[in-house]
């Protein structure tokens, strides 16, 4: 099954036509709204150098689950 996702608003212009692998291997600065300075801070503080590492980071994963749980709470 083919899947199509429009990430135009989520990525910097330079990455809109890149492959998924190229995007995941890129600096978090490739994401719209994350500056080079913020990407450098992620690298310095949490050792995150790529979007792949950002997306698989255990702290961000736990935070995402907590937010999802809040939305399901009574």
């Amino acid at each position: 099954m083919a899947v199509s996702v429009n990430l135009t608003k989520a990525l910097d212009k330079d990455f809109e036509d890149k492959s998924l692998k190229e995007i995941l291997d890129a600096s978090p600065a490739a994401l719209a709204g994350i500056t080079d300075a913020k990407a450098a801070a992620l690298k310095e503080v949490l050792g995150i150098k790529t979007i792949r590492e950002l997306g698989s980071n255990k702290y961000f994963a736990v935070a995402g689950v907590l937010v999802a749980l809040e939305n399901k709470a009574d």
Side-chain angles (χ1 to χ4, degrees):
M1 168 188 348
V3 176
S4 177
V5 178
N6 184 348
L7 297 173
T8 304
K9 293 182 180 180
L11 299 172
D12 284 348
K13 272 217 177 295
D14 292 344
F15 287 87
E16 290 176 359
D17 295 324
K18 302 285 185 186
S19 71
L20 180 58
K21 182 180 181 338
E22 289 173 306
I23 293 168
L24 291 174
D25 290 341
S27 163
L31 297 170
I34 297 188
T35 63
D36 288 336
K38 290 176 183 175
L42 283 169
K43 183 177 178 182
E44 181 179 333
V45 175
L46 297 173
I48 294 172
K49 299 178 284 268
T50 67
I51 293 173
R52 179 180 284 105
E53 291 172 347
L54 178 65
S56 60
N57 180 277
K58 66 182 180 181
Y59 302 111
F60 290 104
V62 169
V65 168
L66 291 171
V67 170
L69 287 172
E70 177 187 40
N71 293 332
K72 301 293 182 197
D74 295 322

